[in-house]
Amino acid sequence: MSSMKHVDNIPSTPGKFKEKSNYNRLRLHFSVVKLTFWSFVFLGLIFICFFKSTSSSSSPVSSDLSRRSLRTSSYDGPAWEKRIKASAKIRSTNGISVLVTGAAGFVGTHVSSALKRRGDGVVGLDNFNDYYDPSLKRARQTLLESAGVYIVEGDINDVALLKKLFDIVQFSHVMHLAAQAGVRYAMENPSSYVHSNIAGLVNLLEFCKNANPQPAIVWASSSSVYGLNTKVPFSESDRTDQPASLYAATKKAGEEIAHTYNHIYGLSLTGLRFFTVYGPWGRPDMAYFFFTRDILKGKSISIFEGANHGTVARDFTYIDDIVKGCLGALDTAEKSTGSGGKKKGPAQLRVFNLGNTSPVPVSDLVTILERLLKVKAKRAVMKLPRNGDVQFTHANISLAQRELGYKPTTDLQTGLKKFVRWYLSYYGEGKKSAQ
């Protein structure tokens, strides 16, 4: 890990190093100007989001934002604190105490469960918003509570709530998975991405920087940061300054923000670039999920193709493999070096690809689903729309293999078989309707 420590010598937007000093100075000047520009852009978006939410509460748009924004329910009291302490209790030697944000989400549920199984202390935090069917999130909550994980319903932008949680439990680690997900939804509700993915991250880091001791933080970035990059497979050192969607831009901004808090305050930060995660208890807005729903209902499904009938492919990564990568990142995270908001030495700053490194055409995914569901899909092939989607993703995972011991083992056929079994059990026999 020694190679990762001196991150201040590495450009915040990775790329190839140049030997000519004049070029380096010019490039550094350009990078500073560009970073300053984007900083003002995102600060402007945050201001607009705040202004709209405070001055237009009666408008339909504002009402939608308030429904979808992170909400905080009532909290406090001895019984509430007792549940948190019980959930945070470490039951294994060398165990860690982890605050998992977005714990009722897809990845958050699986990571929380895995941490609890191995004896770590785990407390969840989630807002249960309605970006997709909240009943699925409540079902995940029930699953976690049966395993001894308590999820606090609240807002990552709520400073008072974070203070209460850290007063009750001295968390050694934060697994930050709370975010506004989805590429296409950003065209409908861009403010929700600024609120959750930028303002929410900054608020969490602001609190963690002042904690004593500071926790080590592992957080979810995204493969979307590679944007319009055409070099494959995608490597952590590739350029990430061409986002194809607002979602990607907010995740890229998150990586720059992480660099800043590491550099100034000594926070230990590890970003994980997830590649198309799928599996049981997944997100209904993902293609494999709604393809399954629509195939069973006899509805037509849209299969996109690139220019000149180019193949659209994704590096589908099974949830169990992603969880192993998350735990590996937590286990190798070094301590933060600051105290009370002041840096006392260089701190660890890392970013890793977590993918399967085996891209599969989306049309092949549909063929596998047809075979597993024993139903022929009604395919409608159409051009890839300009809504933020990219034509392909492909992860180079050599760095994660070397540093985290990350090694995905689940192929798409096996993973989809497990997903379909869960889906039919959860939604089958008229018990529930997939929203």
Side-chain angles (χ1 to χ4, degrees), residues 50-77:
F50 175 79
F51 180 78
K52 287 177 68 177
S53 64
T54 55
S55 63
S56 308
S57 59
S58 60
S59 70
V61 172
S62 180
S63 296
D64 183 66
L65 282 174
S66 65
R67 282 194 309 112
R68 296 193 184 277
S69 66
L70 300 175
R71 294 183 294 249
T72 298
S73 60
S74 59
Y75 52 82
D76 211 350

PDB file of all heavy atoms in Angstrom, residues 50-77:
ATOM      1  N   PHE A  50     -30.927  24.458  -2.885  1.00  0.00           N
ATOM      2  CA  PHE A  50     -31.375  24.941  -1.579  1.00  0.00           C
ATOM      3  C   PHE A  50     -32.403  26.058  -1.741  1.00  0.00           C
ATOM      4  O   PHE A  50     -33.435  26.087  -1.073  1.00  0.00           O
ATOM      5  CB  PHE A  50     -30.168  25.436  -0.778  1.00  0.00           C
ATOM      6  CG  PHE A  50     -30.543  26.059   0.536  1.00  0.00           C
ATOM      7  CD1 PHE A  50     -30.848  25.249   1.631  1.00  0.00           C
ATOM      8  CD2 PHE A  50     -30.589  27.425   0.696  1.00  0.00           C
ATOM      9  CE1 PHE A  50     -31.203  25.808   2.843  1.00  0.00           C
ATOM     10  CE2 PHE A  50     -30.941  27.991   1.894  1.00  0.00           C
ATOM     11  CZ  PHE A  50     -31.250  27.178   2.977  1.00  0.00           C
ATOM     12  N   PHE A  51     -32.148  26.989  -2.651  1.00  0.00           N
ATOM     13  CA  PHE A  51     -33.044  28.123  -2.850  1.00  0.00           C
ATOM     14  C   PHE A  51     -34.417  27.659  -3.307  1.00  0.00           C
ATOM     15  O   PHE A  51     -35.438  28.113  -2.801  1.00  0.00           O
ATOM     16  CB  PHE A  51     -32.439  29.084  -3.878  1.00  0.00           C
ATOM     17  CG  PHE A  51     -33.308  30.290  -4.151  1.00  0.00           C
ATOM     18  CD1 PHE A  51     -33.355  31.353  -3.257  1.00  0.00           C
ATOM     19  CD2 PHE A  51     -34.095  30.345  -5.295  1.00  0.00           C
ATOM     20  CE1 PHE A  51     -34.154  32.451  -3.495  1.00  0.00           C
ATOM     21  CE2 PHE A  51     -34.892  31.445  -5.545  1.00  0.00           C
ATOM     22  CZ  PHE A  51     -34.924  32.500  -4.653  1.00  0.00           C
ATOM     23  N   LYS A  52     -34.419  26.707  -4.250  1.00  0.00           N
ATOM     24  CA  LYS A  52     -35.700  26.219  -4.765  1.00  0.00           C
ATOM     25  C   LYS A  52     -36.495  25.513  -3.681  1.00  0.00           C
ATOM     26  O   LYS A  52     -37.703  25.657  -3.565  1.00  0.00           O
ATOM     27  CB  LYS A  52     -35.471  25.273  -5.945  1.00  0.00           C
ATOM     28  CG  LYS A  52     -35.041  25.976  -7.222  1.00  0.00           C
ATOM     29  CD  LYS A  52     -34.772  24.963  -8.330  1.00  0.00           C
ATOM     30  CE  LYS A  52     -36.037  24.295  -8.772  1.00  0.00           C
ATOM     31  NZ  LYS A  52     -35.824  23.370  -9.897  1.00  0.00           N
ATOM     32  N   SER A  53     -35.778  24.735  -2.844  1.00  0.00           N
ATOM     33  CA  SER A  53     -36.482  23.953  -1.824  1.00  0.00           C
ATOM     34  C   SER A  53     -37.047  24.831  -0.726  1.00  0.00           C
ATOM     35  O   SER A  53     -38.034  24.484  -0.086  1.00  0.00           O
ATOM     36  CB  SER A  53     -35.536  22.905  -1.225  1.00  0.00           C
ATOM     37  OG  SER A  53     -34.486  23.525  -0.549  1.00  0.00           O
ATOM     38  N   THR A  54     -36.417  26.014  -0.502  1.00  0.00           N
ATOM     39  CA  THR A  54     -36.894  26.876   0.581  1.00  0.00           C
ATOM     40  C   THR A  54     -37.907  27.905   0.119  1.00  0.00           C
ATOM     41  O   THR A  54     -38.709  28.383   0.908  1.00  0.00           O
ATOM     42  CB  THR A  54     -35.718  27.608   1.243  1.00  0.00           C
ATOM     43  OG1 THR A  54     -34.988  28.327   0.232  1.00  0.00           O
ATOM     44  CG2 THR A  54     -34.796  26.634   1.937  1.00  0.00           C
ATOM     45  N   SER A  55     -37.843  28.281  -1.164  1.00  0.00           N
ATOM     46  CA  SER A  55     -38.711  29.355  -1.626  1.00  0.00           C
ATOM     47  C   SER A  55     -39.899  28.893  -2.432  1.00  0.00           C
ATOM     48  O   SER A  55     -40.798  29.666  -2.718  1.00  0.00           O
ATOM     49  CB  SER A  55     -37.893  30.346  -2.468  1.00  0.00           C
ATOM     50  OG  SER A  55     -37.395  29.709  -3.627  1.00  0.00           O
ATOM     51  N   SER A  56     -39.929  27.601  -2.820  1.00  0.00           N
ATOM     52  CA  SER A  56     -40.998  27.130  -3.704  1.00  0.00           C
ATOM     53  C   SER A  56     -41.641  25.862  -3.183  1.00  0.00           C
ATOM     54  O   SER A  56     -41.919  24.935  -3.909  1.00  0.00           O
ATOM     55  CB  SER A  56     -40.430  26.879  -5.112  1.00  0.00           C
ATOM     56  OG  SER A  56     -39.730  28.006  -5.582  1.00  0.00           O
ATOM     57  N   SER A  57     -41.844  25.795  -1.890  1.00  0.00           N
ATOM     58  CA  SER A  57     -42.337  24.555  -1.282  1.00  0.00           C
ATOM     59  C   SER A  57     -43.723  24.191  -1.741  1.00  0.00           C
ATOM     60  O   SER A  57     -44.148  23.053  -1.631  1.00  0.00           O
ATOM     61  CB  SER A  57     -42.297  24.689   0.249  1.00  0.00           C
ATOM     62  OG  SER A  57     -43.101  25.777   0.648  1.00  0.00           O
ATOM     63  N   SER A  58     -44.483  25.160  -2.274  1.00  0.00           N
ATOM     64  CA  SER A  58     -45.845  24.856  -2.677  1.00  0.00           C
ATOM     65  C   SER A  58     -45.940  24.363  -4.104  1.00  0.00           C
ATOM     66  O   SER A  58     -46.995  23.927  -4.536  1.00  0.00           O
ATOM     67  CB  SER A  58     -46.713  26.115  -2.533  1.00  0.00           C
ATOM     68  OG  SER A  58     -46.209  27.157  -3.366  1.00  0.00           O
ATOM     69  N   SER A  59     -44.823  24.417  -4.861  1.00  0.00           N
ATOM     70  CA  SER A  59     -44.878  24.019  -6.266  1.00  0.00           C
ATOM     71  C   SER A  59     -44.824  22.516  -6.397  1.00  0.00           C
ATOM     72  O   SER A  59     -44.307  21.830  -5.530  1.00  0.00           O
ATOM     73  CB  SER A  59     -43.709  24.644  -7.026  1.00  0.00           C
ATOM     74  OG  SER A  59     -42.499  24.030  -6.622  1.00  0.00           O
ATOM     75  N   PRO A  60     -45.347  21.945  -7.514  1.00  0.00           N
ATOM     76  CA  PRO A  60     -45.300  20.499  -7.727  1.00  0.00           C
ATOM     77  C   PRO A  60     -43.890  19.966  -7.755  1.00  0.00           C
ATOM     78  O   PRO A  60     -43.619  18.889  -7.238  1.00  0.00           O
ATOM     79  CB  PRO A  60     -45.992  20.331  -9.098  1.00  0.00           C
ATOM     80  CG  PRO A  60     -46.824  21.557  -9.271  1.00  0.00           C
ATOM     81  CD  PRO A  60     -46.097  22.640  -8.567  1.00  0.00           C
ATOM     82  N   VAL A  61     -42.955  20.726  -8.372  1.00  0.00           N
ATOM     83  CA  VAL A  61     -41.578  20.253  -8.446  1.00  0.00           C
ATOM     84  C   VAL A  61     -40.982  20.143  -7.062  1.00  0.00           C
ATOM     85  O   VAL A  61     -40.329  19.171  -6.701  1.00  0.00           O
ATOM     86  CB  VAL A  61     -40.725  21.206  -9.322  1.00  0.00           C
ATOM     87  CG1 VAL A  61     -39.255  20.817  -9.247  1.00  0.00           C
ATOM     88  CG2 VAL A  61     -41.222  21.174 -10.763  1.00  0.00           C
ATOM     89  N   SER A  62     -41.229  21.170  -6.239  1.00  0.00           N
ATOM     90  CA  SER A  62     -40.691  21.160  -4.877  1.00  0.00           C
ATOM     91  C   SER A  62     -41.290  20.032  -4.067  1.00  0.00           C
ATOM     92  O   SER A  62     -40.611  19.401  -3.267  1.00  0.00           O
ATOM     93  CB  SER A  62     -40.963  22.503  -4.203  1.00  0.00           C
ATOM     94  OG  SER A  62     -40.458  22.516  -2.903  1.00  0.00           O
ATOM     95  N   SER A  63     -42.568  19.764  -4.270  1.00  0.00           N
ATOM     96  CA  SER A  63     -43.203  18.675  -3.542  1.00  0.00           C
ATOM     97  C   SER A  63     -42.544  17.351  -3.884  1.00  0.00           C
ATOM     98  O   SER A  63     -42.327  16.505  -3.024  1.00  0.00           O
ATOM     99  CB  SER A  63     -44.698  18.616  -3.891  1.00  0.00           C
ATOM    100  OG  SER A  63     -45.342  19.798  -3.461  1.00  0.00           O
ATOM    101  N   ASP A  64     -42.210  17.186  -5.184  1.00  0.00           N
ATOM    102  CA  ASP A  64     -41.556  15.949  -5.600  1.00  0.00           C
ATOM    103  C   ASP A  64     -40.187  15.832  -4.965  1.00  0.00           C
ATOM    104  O   ASP A  64     -39.767  14.765  -4.531  1.00  0.00           O
ATOM    105  CB  ASP A  64     -41.428  15.922  -7.127  1.00  0.00           C
ATOM    106  CG  ASP A  64     -40.809  14.623  -7.627  1.00  0.00           C
ATOM    107  OD1 ASP A  64     -41.467  13.581  -7.459  1.00  0.00           O
ATOM    108  OD2 ASP A  64     -39.691  14.653  -8.156  1.00  0.00           O
ATOM    109  N   LEU A  65     -39.463  16.969  -4.894  1.00  0.00           N
ATOM    110  CA  LEU A  65     -38.147  16.946  -4.278  1.00  0.00           C
ATOM    111  C   LEU A  65     -38.238  16.579  -2.810  1.00  0.00           C
ATOM    112  O   LEU A  65     -37.429  15.811  -2.296  1.00  0.00           O
ATOM    113  CB  LEU A  65     -37.482  18.319  -4.415  1.00  0.00           C
ATOM    114  CG  LEU A  65     -36.869  18.656  -5.778  1.00  0.00           C
ATOM    115  CD1 LEU A  65     -36.388  20.091  -5.775  1.00  0.00           C
ATOM    116  CD2 LEU A  65     -35.725  17.719  -6.095  1.00  0.00           C
ATOM    117  N   SER A  66     -39.254  17.119  -2.117  1.00  0.00           N
ATOM    118  CA  SER A  66     -39.375  16.830  -0.689  1.00  0.00           C
ATOM    119  C   SER A  66     -39.731  15.378  -0.453  1.00  0.00           C
ATOM    120  O   SER A  66     -39.317  14.775   0.532  1.00  0.00           O
ATOM    121  CB  SER A  66     -40.429  17.749  -0.049  1.00  0.00           C
ATOM    122  OG  SER A  66     -41.717  17.474  -0.581  1.00  0.00           O
ATOM    123  N   ARG A  67     -40.480  14.789  -1.385  1.00  0.00           N
ATOM    124  CA  ARG A  67     -40.813  13.370  -1.239  1.00  0.00           C
ATOM    125  C   ARG A  67     -39.572  12.515  -1.445  1.00  0.00           C
ATOM    126  O   ARG A  67     -39.346  11.543  -0.740  1.00  0.00           O
ATOM    127  CB  ARG A  67     -41.865  12.952  -2.278  1.00  0.00           C
ATOM    128  CG  ARG A  67     -43.264  13.362  -1.968  1.00  0.00           C
ATOM    129  CD  ARG A  67     -44.258  12.634  -2.853  1.00  0.00           C
ATOM    130  NE  ARG A  67     -43.906  12.731  -4.258  1.00  0.00           N
ATOM    131  CZ  ARG A  67     -43.497  11.712  -4.993  1.00  0.00           C
ATOM    132  NH1 ARG A  67     -43.327  10.548  -4.449  1.00  0.00           N
ATOM    133  NH2 ARG A  67     -43.226  11.869  -6.272  1.00  0.00           N
ATOM    134  N   ARG A  68     -38.763  12.889  -2.432  1.00  0.00           N
ATOM    135  CA  ARG A  68     -37.646  12.037  -2.799  1.00  0.00           C
ATOM    136  C   ARG A  68     -36.367  12.363  -2.044  1.00  0.00           C
ATOM    137  O   ARG A  68     -35.410  11.601  -2.087  1.00  0.00           O
ATOM    138  CB  ARG A  68     -37.383  12.139  -4.309  1.00  0.00           C
ATOM    139  CG  ARG A  68     -38.544  11.611  -5.137  1.00  0.00           C
ATOM    140  CD  ARG A  68     -38.132  11.442  -6.578  1.00  0.00           C
ATOM    141  NE  ARG A  68     -39.245  11.030  -7.413  1.00  0.00           N
ATOM    142  CZ  ARG A  68     -39.657   9.793  -7.540  1.00  0.00           C
ATOM    143  NH1 ARG A  68     -39.064   8.832  -6.878  1.00  0.00           N
ATOM    144  NH2 ARG A  68     -40.671   9.498  -8.319  1.00  0.00           N
ATOM    145  N   SER A  69     -36.313  13.510  -1.376  1.00  0.00           N
ATOM    146  CA  SER A  69     -35.106  13.857  -0.648  1.00  0.00           C
ATOM    147  C   SER A  69     -35.007  13.016   0.621  1.00  0.00           C
ATOM    148  O   SER A  69     -35.962  12.378   1.050  1.00  0.00           O
ATOM    149  CB  SER A  69     -35.121  15.341  -0.280  1.00  0.00           C
ATOM    150  OG  SER A  69     -36.144  15.616   0.640  1.00  0.00           O
ATOM    151  N   LEU A  70     -33.820  13.018   1.216  1.00  0.00           N
ATOM    152  CA  LEU A  70     -33.600  12.227   2.416  1.00  0.00           C
ATOM    153  C   LEU A  70     -34.382  12.818   3.575  1.00  0.00           C
ATOM    154  O   LEU A  70     -34.292  14.000   3.873  1.00  0.00           O
ATOM    155  CB  LEU A  70     -32.108  12.204   2.740  1.00  0.00           C
ATOM    156  CG  LEU A  70     -31.228  11.612   1.635  1.00  0.00           C
ATOM    157  CD1 LEU A  70     -29.767  11.749   2.003  1.00  0.00           C
ATOM    158  CD2 LEU A  70     -31.568  10.155   1.413  1.00  0.00           C
ATOM    159  N   ARG A  71     -35.136  11.973   4.231  1.00  0.00           N
ATOM    160  CA  ARG A  71     -35.977  12.439   5.333  1.00  0.00           C
ATOM    161  C   ARG A  71     -35.455  11.897   6.661  1.00  0.00           C
ATOM    162  O   ARG A  71     -34.856  10.843   6.732  1.00  0.00           O
ATOM    163  CB  ARG A  71     -37.419  11.966   5.119  1.00  0.00           C
ATOM    164  CG  ARG A  71     -38.086  12.594   3.916  1.00  0.00           C
ATOM    165  CD  ARG A  71     -39.521  12.132   3.833  1.00  0.00           C
ATOM    166  NE  ARG A  71     -39.607  10.713   3.557  1.00  0.00           N
ATOM    167  CZ  ARG A  71     -40.046  10.207   2.428  1.00  0.00           C
ATOM    168  NH1 ARG A  71     -40.404  11.009   1.439  1.00  0.00           N
ATOM    169  NH2 ARG A  71     -40.130   8.909   2.243  1.00  0.00           N
ATOM    170  N   THR A  72     -35.735  12.611   7.711  1.00  0.00           N
ATOM    171  CA  THR A  72     -35.346  12.167   9.046  1.00  0.00           C
ATOM    172  C   THR A  72     -36.594  11.998   9.903  1.00  0.00           C
ATOM    173  O   THR A  72     -37.385  12.908  10.046  1.00  0.00           O
ATOM    174  CB  THR A  72     -34.403  13.196   9.707  1.00  0.00           C
ATOM    175  OG1 THR A  72     -33.217  13.291   8.924  1.00  0.00           O
ATOM    176  CG2 THR A  72     -34.049  12.779  11.114  1.00  0.00           C
ATOM    177  N   SER A  73     -36.751  10.819  10.463  1.00  0.00           N
ATOM    178  CA  SER A  73     -37.872  10.587  11.365  1.00  0.00           C
ATOM    179  C   SER A  73     -37.451  10.969  12.781  1.00  0.00           C
ATOM    180  O   SER A  73     -36.306  11.307  13.040  1.00  0.00           O
ATOM    181  CB  SER A  73     -38.276   9.106  11.309  1.00  0.00           C
ATOM    182  OG  SER A  73     -37.195   8.292  11.705  1.00  0.00           O
ATOM    183  N   SER A  74     -38.380  10.919  13.718  1.00  0.00           N
ATOM    184  CA  SER A  74     -38.056  11.283  15.089  1.00  0.00           C
ATOM    185  C   SER A  74     -37.067  10.282  15.681  1.00  0.00           C
ATOM    186  O   SER A  74     -37.069   9.106  15.345  1.00  0.00           O
ATOM    187  CB  SER A  74     -39.342  11.305  15.924  1.00  0.00           C
ATOM    188  OG  SER A  74     -39.967  10.042  15.908  1.00  0.00           O
ATOM    189  N   TYR A  75     -36.207  10.771  16.546  1.00  0.00           N
ATOM    190  CA  TYR A  75     -35.217   9.906  17.169  1.00  0.00           C
ATOM    191  C   TYR A  75     -34.897  10.444  18.554  1.00  0.00           C
ATOM    192  O   TYR A  75     -35.331  11.505  18.933  1.00  0.00           O
ATOM    193  CB  TYR A  75     -33.942   9.818  16.320  1.00  0.00           C
ATOM    194  CG  TYR A  75     -33.354  11.142  15.919  1.00  0.00           C
ATOM    195  CD1 TYR A  75     -32.529  11.869  16.785  1.00  0.00           C
ATOM    196  CD2 TYR A  75     -33.631  11.680  14.668  1.00  0.00           C
ATOM    197  CE1 TYR A  75     -31.990  13.082  16.416  1.00  0.00           C
ATOM    198  CE2 TYR A  75     -33.091  12.899  14.280  1.00  0.00           C
ATOM    199  CZ  TYR A  75     -32.273  13.597  15.158  1.00  0.00           C
ATOM    200  OH  TYR A  75     -31.737  14.804  14.796  1.00  0.00           O
ATOM    201  N   ASP A  76     -34.127   9.699  19.271  1.00  0.00           N
ATOM    202  CA  ASP A  76     -33.690  10.042  20.622  1.00  0.00           C
ATOM    203  C   ASP A  76     -34.452   9.190  21.636  1.00  0.00           C
ATOM    204  O   ASP A  76     -35.477   8.583  21.328  1.00  0.00           O
ATOM    205  CB  ASP A  76     -33.903  11.532  20.939  1.00  0.00           C
ATOM    206  CG  ASP A  76     -32.843  12.042  21.927  1.00  0.00           C
ATOM    207  OD1 ASP A  76     -32.114  11.194  22.472  1.00  0.00           O
ATOM    208  OD2 ASP A  76     -32.746  13.263  22.127  1.00  0.00           O
ATOM    209  N   GLY A  77     -33.933   9.163  22.820  1.00  0.00           N
ATOM    210  CA  GLY A  77     -34.552   8.403  23.887  1.00  0.00           C
ATOM    211  C   GLY A  77     -33.746   7.172  24.257  1.00  0.00           C
ATOM    212  O   GLY A  77     -32.987   6.646  23.445  1.00  0.00           O
TER     213      GLY A  77
END
